């Protein structure tokens, strides 16, 4: 058969690069960048190109698997799997109630609107509080900050990079990540353009990252960002550099002014590791720039004061007059606004439910994954007894992960939908084969909220599913039909479902598009868009050159329509910050890093991305290594109050003294499947992070993964080490 090229886009990260996929005899044989794609213009990173190896991996799960009595897996039919899962789920519900059933939603769901909507709809149909996701290891603190500022967690401003004069980034490395909670073009080129037109890009990070090395770098202590931002606000208010009109339109500005008054730059220098002179210069430059945007990403979301940090990022945008203005921090106006639809359904909750363990608030209906082990192991009403895991590997990616790994084996029922047999689903009763992004229809729905160049692309599947793989939403639909549930977060859709009317993702999203500002209104607007028109334009449609501004009044949902800078919960966090102390027993601060050839835990079986099967090393400043008597290449033991792991040591002056750096989501040890990943092993960062009540950031219940207090020692002569070895020395149970 003649090879056929299909145009689509990559769905590994938020850049969503345009790609060409060559299919021959129903098999993907090649992936390459789409040179004519109007947004990414011939760029695709190594992960997108290597997706061919994931797609065709002989170790990929492509048939339903059921656990046997001897803890191996056997292939079963879909009918048998759905029937048995339904019967066992019904038994759990009958004995323990609907609130004993939970779901864990992995990161790849963010790039599949259908999968995310149906798994969340399944949980909402049960009205269970046990809804967990990677968000509590990633982004939830950003959403809680927005809740306090704008009245809803669904409002997240993005930097208007194409028009800004100064971009200040905290905890972001877009030359490797390609942008996160910000998209809309080749961000590497857009950053270059900022400097080319006379502007500045400043990167605040404990490491001189790939992005920081290209632009201006300010080194900050891991978990020290709040001190830096408070010092900058202190200078802006003290020197009367604020934009008076912008401050006057906000509520609670005087309370914020009073709260930051004690945080003089000299005080903040110690906590942040940034000199008082640099803090003053950053504040003055930010306030004096013709336009500026302050932006933070994962590094700003994972510390002990993550919600405070994200709040302060936006507070700086507000008081300098850079919120909702060209070149500042702006709000996207997506053509399919799933988040606004969810807000109108009341899904943008914060604290509407409290966790059984730890009394933590929900964030947009999600509970913190850091209490999952305790929720499984603690008896009582609402104990988690059945778990559905979709595109996730929580046994590797959740803090104190060894405790969760052990707890998963105690469930009455565990069902996983994934591409591989991994650390988590090796404990499952069923592993159900999911499609890759190449095997399904998609629109770039969730990234629409974060695009500084509004752009919409709707793509068909590039190839038929391998083996018996199915789209996750259809699996959830069939399981729900077996037990009499309608999987939807919308009560009216559940009512329709009980009457026998079914809604497909394509229909639902098409209706939202057609009734929106860019839609065809079902033929009433001839030039408007619909699904059919978009599928006829496989490279998508750019909707506008820039994000509209002057929309703040429509975005803030507080009753008075004003941004709120004086939330008591945030002011209390400033007080708590002053009580923070170093731990002499664990004197170093551990933080993570993004890698170009890695994405969380799920692509480490690719020979192209992991050719030598070498686990990543711990980065340490040479001065620290000399003081500790450690040599490059030697194994070192990293120990926290929660656990201990071993990793090879790499010396790099790009890491500030007193800090060490290790990437997240290694430490593979899943039995069966992805042999290359298991042979690589590596140190699991999350063994070192604490979980359970009292261990999480209090406002968003975030896992504290930035600034983990550790000590580092030689591991030579330690005969206990093996690939991926980790030793628990405490933590939750």
């Amino acid at each position: 058969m003649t090879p056929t090229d299909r145009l689509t886009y990559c769905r590994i990260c938020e850049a969503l690069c345009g790609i060409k996929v060559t299919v021959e005899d129903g098999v993907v044989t090649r992936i390459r960048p789409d040179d004519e794609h109007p947004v990414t213009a011939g760029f695709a990173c190594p992960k997108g190109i290597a997706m061919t190896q994931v797609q065709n991996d002989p170790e990929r799960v492509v048939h339903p698997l059921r656990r046997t009595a001897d803890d191996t897996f056997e292939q079963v039919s879909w009918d048998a799997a759905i029937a048995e899962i339904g019967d066992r789920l019904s038994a759990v519900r009958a004995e323990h109630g609907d609130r004993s059933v939970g779901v864990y939603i992995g990161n790849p769901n963010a790039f599949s609107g259908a999968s995310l909507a149906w798994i969340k709809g399944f949980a909402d149909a049960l009205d269970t509080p046990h809804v967990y996701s990677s968000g509590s290891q990633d982004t939830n603190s950003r959403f809680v900050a927005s809740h306090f500022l704008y009245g809803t967690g669904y409002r997240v401003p993005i930097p208007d990079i194409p028009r800004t004069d100064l971009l200040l980034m905290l905890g972001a490395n877009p030359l490797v990540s390609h942008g996160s909670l910000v998209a809309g073009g080749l961000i590497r080129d857009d950053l270059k353009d900022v400097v080319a037109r006379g502007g500045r890009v400043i990167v605040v990070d404990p490491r001189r990252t790939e992005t920081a090395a290209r632009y201006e770098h300010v080194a900050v202590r891991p978990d020290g960002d709040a001190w830096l931002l408070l010092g900058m606000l202190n200078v802006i208010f003290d020197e009367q550099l604020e934009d008076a009109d912008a401050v006057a339109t906000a509520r609670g500005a005087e309370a914020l002014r009073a709260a930051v008054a004690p945080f003089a730059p000299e005080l903040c220098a110690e906590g942040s590791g940034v000199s008082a002179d640099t803090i003053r210069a950053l504040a003055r430059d930010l306030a004096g720039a013709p336009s500026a945007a302050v932006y933070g990403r994962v590094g700003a979301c994972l510390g002990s004061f993550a919600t405070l940090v994200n709040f302060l990022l936006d507070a700086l945008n507000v008081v300098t007059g850079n919120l909702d203005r060209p070149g500042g921090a702006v709000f996207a106006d997506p053509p399919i606004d799933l988040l606004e639809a969810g807000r109108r359904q009341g899904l943008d909750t914060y604290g509407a439910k409290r966790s059984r363990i730890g009394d933590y608030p929900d964030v947009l209906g999600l509970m913190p994954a850091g209490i999952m082990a305790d929720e499984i192991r603690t008896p009582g009403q609402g104990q988690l007894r059945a778990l559905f895991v979709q595109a996730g590997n929580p046994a590797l990616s959740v803090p104190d992960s060894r405790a969760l790994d052990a707890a998963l084996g105690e469930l009455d029922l565990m069902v996983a939908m994934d591409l591989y047999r991994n650390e988590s689903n090796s404990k499952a009763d069923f592993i159900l084969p999911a499609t890759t992004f190449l095997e399904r229809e998609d629109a770039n729905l969730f990234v629409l909220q974060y695009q500084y160049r509004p752009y919409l692309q709707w793509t068909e599947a590039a190839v038929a599913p391998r083996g018996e793989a199915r789209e996750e939403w259809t699996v959830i639909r069939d399981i729900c039909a077996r037990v009499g549930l309608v999987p939807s977060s919308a009560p009216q859709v559940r009512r329709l479902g009980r009457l026998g009317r079914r809604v497909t993702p394509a229909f639902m999203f098409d209706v939202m598009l057609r009734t929106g500002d860019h839609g065809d209104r079902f033929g009433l607007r001839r030039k408007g868009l619909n699904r059919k028109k978009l599928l006829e334009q496989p490279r998508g449609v750019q909707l506008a050159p820039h994000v509209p501004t002057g929309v703040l009044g429509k975005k803030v949902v507080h009753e008075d329509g004003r941004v709120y800078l004086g939330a008591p919960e945030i002011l209390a966090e400033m007080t708590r910050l002053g009580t923070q102390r170093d731990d002499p027993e664990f004197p170093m601060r551990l933080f993570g890093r993004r890698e170009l050839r890695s994405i969380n835990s799920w692509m480490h079986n690719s020979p192209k991305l992991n050719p030598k099967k070498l686990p990543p090393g711990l980065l340490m400043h040479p001065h620290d290594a000399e003081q500790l008597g450690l040599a490059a290449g030697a194994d070192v033991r990293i120990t926290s109050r929660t656990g201990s792991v071993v990793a090879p040591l790499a010396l790099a002056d790009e890491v500030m003294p007193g800090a060490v750096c290790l990437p997240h989501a290694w430490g593979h040890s899943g039995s069966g499947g992805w042999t290359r990943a298991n042979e690589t092993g590596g140190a699991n960062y999350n063994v070192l992070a604490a979980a359970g009540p009292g261990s999480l950031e209090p406002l968003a219940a975030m896992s504290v993964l930035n600034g983990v207090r550790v000590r580092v020692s030689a591991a030579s002569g330690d005969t206990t080490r093996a690939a991926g070895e980790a030793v628990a020395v405490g933590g939750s149970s």
Side-chain angles (χ1 to χ4, degrees):
M1 183 180 292
T2 303
T4 303
D5 285 343
R6 312 278 171 79
L7 297 176
T8 185
Y9 63 91
C10 179
R11 276 146 276 175
I12 294 174
C13 77
E14 293 166 66
L16 304 183
C17 298
I19 54 176
K20 283 185 178 180
V21 179
T22 301
V23 178
E24 188 171 0
D25 292 332
V27 176
V28 175
T29 58
R30 185 185 179 197
I31 298 175
R32 59 200 182 280
D34 179 6
D35 293 338
E36 298 178 53
H37 194 273
V39 174
T40 54
F43 176 81
C45 84
K47 294 185 291 293
I49 303 304
M51 190 63 197
T52 304
Q53 295 183 335
V54 175
Q55 172 71 28
N56 300 324
D57 194 334
E59 294 188 318
R60 180 182 158 195
V61 175
V62 293
H63 302 284
L65 301 177
R66 177 176 59 195
R67 179 180 295 282
T68 64
D70 61 355
D71 281 340
T72 59
F73 285 90
E74 64 181 0
Q75 183 177 326
V76 295
S77 69
W78 271 109
D79 287 346
I82 296 295
E84 186 173 337
I85 291 168
D87 292 346
R88 293 181 62 177
L89 175 59
S90 294
V92 171
R93 295 171 68 198
E95 182 176 356
H96 301 288
D98 287 358
R99 294 167 73 85
S100 68
V101 182
V103 301
Y104 181 87
I105 305 167
N107 176 269
N109 286 279
F111 309 106
S112 173
S115 298
L116 182 55
W118 260 250
I119 190 71
K120 183 63 165 59
F122 168 51
D124 288 345
L126 290 165
D127 191 29
T128 177
H130 292 299
V131 185
Y132 306 98
S133 82
S134 54
S136 55
Q137 287 76 250
D138 184 332
T139 310
N140 285 359
S141 53
R142 170 62 261 186
F143 301 140
V144 176
S146 287
H147 165 81
F148 290 124
L149 287 156
Y150 313 117
T152 173
Y154 284 161
R155 298 286 188 262
V156 176
I158 58 174
D160 188 7
I161 298 175
R163 294 186 286 182
T164 198
D165 296 290
L166 190 154
L167 177 62
L168 178 65
M169 293 191 287
L170 276 76
N173 187 11
L175 290 191
V176 170
S177 71
H178 314 303
S180 181
L181 292 190
V182 63
L186 279 181
I187 197 165
R188 60 176 189 174
D189 291 346
D190 289 325
L191 292 176
K192 278 195 274 186
D193 289 345
V194 173
V195 176
R197 59 177 178 265
R200 298 171 65 192
V201 175
I202 305 171
V203 181
V204 178
D205 201 281
R207 180 170 74 95
R208 190 173 63 252
T209 64
E210 293 81 355
T211 307
R214 184 75 59 88
Y215 299 102
E216 301 177 48
H217 178 218
V218 174
V220 65
R221 293 182 80 190
D223 206 20
D225 308 89
W227 290 102
L228 169 63
L229 299 174
L230 285 165
M232 292 176 64
L233 279 166
N234 173 283
V235 172
I236 289 169
F237 281 126
D238 185 60
E239 298 183 5
Q240 299 180 2
L241 302 175
E242 71 270 25
D243 184 301
D245 291 338
V247 170
T249 61
R251 178 164 53 103
E254 290 309 309
L256 178 65
R257 184 194 302 269
V260 304
F263 290 91
E266 285 72 20
L267 173 66
C268 294
E270 182 178 354
S272 66
V274 180
S275 72
D277 288 345
T278 299
I279 293 173
R280 286 192 171 89
L282 286 172
R284 292 165 182 165
D285 291 349
L286 182 69
S291 66
V294 186
Y295 158 71
R297 219 13 235 121
V298 174
C301 289
L302 297 177
S304 304
F305 296 86
T307 303
L308 172 63
V309 167
N310 280 277
F311 184 97
L312 296 174
L313 292 170
D314 280 16
L316 280 167
N317 284 318
V318 173
V319 303
T320 57
N322 283 299
L323 183 68
D324 188 36
R325 62 168 292 188
V330 296
F331 295 94
D333 189 22
I336 304 175
D337 199 339
L338 291 180
L339 298 187
E340 177 60 17
R343 189 186 72 80
R344 291 176 179 174
Q345 293 285 346
L347 301 181
D348 60 335
T349 55
Y350 174 65
K353 297 178 181 178
R354 309 291 300 194
S355 64
R356 187 177 70 109
I357 304 297
D359 194 38
Y360 289 111
D362 81 284
V363 178
L364 307 181
L366 304 172
M367 289 298 179
I371 60 170
M372 285 177 67
D374 298 273
E375 289 283 10
I376 294 170
R377 288 180 157 173
T378 305
Q381 188 174 7
Q383 181 182 6
L384 181 58
R385 301 308 312 149
L387 182 66
F388 289 74
V389 179
Q390 187 163 284
N393 191 2
L396 199 65
S397 59
V398 165
D400 198 2
S401 52
R402 291 176 67 86
L404 178 59
D405 181 61
L408 291 175
E410 300 176 16
L411 291 163
D412 294 334
L413 173 65
M414 181 177 170
V415 178
M417 288 159 273
D418 217 313
L419 304 178
Y420 287 102
R421 182 174 166 187
N422 60 33
E423 288 71 25
S424 298
N425 62 35
S426 290
K427 302 287 198 310
D429 298 290
F430 291 87
I431 305 175
L432 305 179
T435 54
T436 68
F437 68 74
L438 297 170
E439 298 167 344
R440 67 174 186 254
E441 178 179 316
D442 271 325
N444 58 331
L445 297 174
F446 288 99
V447 176
L448 296 173
Q449 312 289 332
Y450 310 115
Q451 290 182 329
Y452 51 76
R453 289 191 190 92
Y455 180 82
L456 179 60
Q457 186 169 3
W458 202 315
T459 184
E460 296 182 283
V463 66
R466 263 188 70 194
E468 295 182 277
R470 291 186 181 180
E471 290 191 56
E472 291 100 326
W473 77 269
T474 67
V475 178
I476 293 295
R477 176 201 63 193
D478 293 348
I479 292 171
C480 285
R482 178 81 182 184
V483 298
L485 290 172
V486 178
S488 176
S489 298
Q492 62 269 37
V493 175
R494 292 202 293 271
R495 286 193 292 270
L496 286 172
R498 285 191 288 270
L499 294 173
R501 302 186 66 179
R502 303 295 183 188
V503 175
T504 66
F507 174 81
M508 180 174 72
F509 300 144
D510 189 34
V511 168
M512 294 180 69
L513 172 63
R514 299 181 77 171
T515 55
D517 291 342
H518 295 273
D520 70 348
R521 303 291 171 89
F522 296 97
L524 296 178
R525 186 188 289 155
R526 292 182 59 190
K527 293 185 178 180
L529 295 175
N530 58 41
R531 172 178 172 271
K532 183 175 182 294
K533 286 183 180 179
L534 284 168
L535 290 176
E536 292 170 352
Q537 302 182 71
R539 290 190 169 98
V541 176
Q542 186 167 334
L543 304 172
H546 300 291
V547 171
T549 52
V551 301
L552 189 61
K554 295 189 294 185
K555 298 296 182 179
V556 176
V557 299
H558 288 305
E559 287 188 5
D560 61 3
R562 302 168 72 188
V563 178
Y564 188 21
L565 296 176
E569 297 91 340
I570 294 295
L571 303 184
E573 282 292 271
M574 298 182 196
T575 301
R576 186 172 73 91
L577 181 68
T579 68
Q580 188 182 45
R581 298 290 182 269
D582 287 333
D583 188 340
E585 189 176 348
F586 299 94
M588 307 200 80
R589 297 192 179 195
L590 176 70
F591 66 101
R593 68 178 183 267
R594 202 77 176 262
E595 298 176 301
L596 185 62
R597 294 180 177 271
S598 176
I599 182 76
N600 298 327
S601 68
W602 67 276
M603 297 194 78
H604 297 156
N605 213 51
S606 161
K608 185 183 289 290
L609 300 178
N610 184 18
K612 297 181 180 179
K613 295 183 284 189
L614 293 176
L618 179 77
L619 297 184
M620 177 184 285
H621 193 281
H623 174 75
D624 289 335
E626 182 180 0
Q627 293 295 307
L628 294 170
L630 302 174
D635 283 346
V636 294
R637 182 166 291 281
I638 312 143
T639 304
S640 72
R641 290 200 178 275
T642 302
S644 177
V645 297
V646 172
L649 181 66
L651 303 185
D653 64 3
E654 68 193 51
V655 178
M656 67 184 302
V660 287
C661 180
L662 188 72
H664 159 80
W666 291 85
H668 297 288
S669 58
S671 58
W674 59 6
T675 303
R676 179 175 293 270
N678 289 334
E679 289 176 350
T680 304
N684 182 359
Y685 190 115
N686 293 294
V687 168
L688 302 168
S695 299
L696 309 179
E697 185 266 353
L699 291 184
M702 292 292 294
S703 303
V704 178
L705 297 170
N706 182 15
V708 177
R709 275 45 168 188
V710 299
R711 64 172 177 262
V712 182
S713 58
S716 57
D718 187 340
T719 59
T720 62
R721 187 193 182 217
E725 174 264 9
V727 180
V729 295
S732 64
S733 60

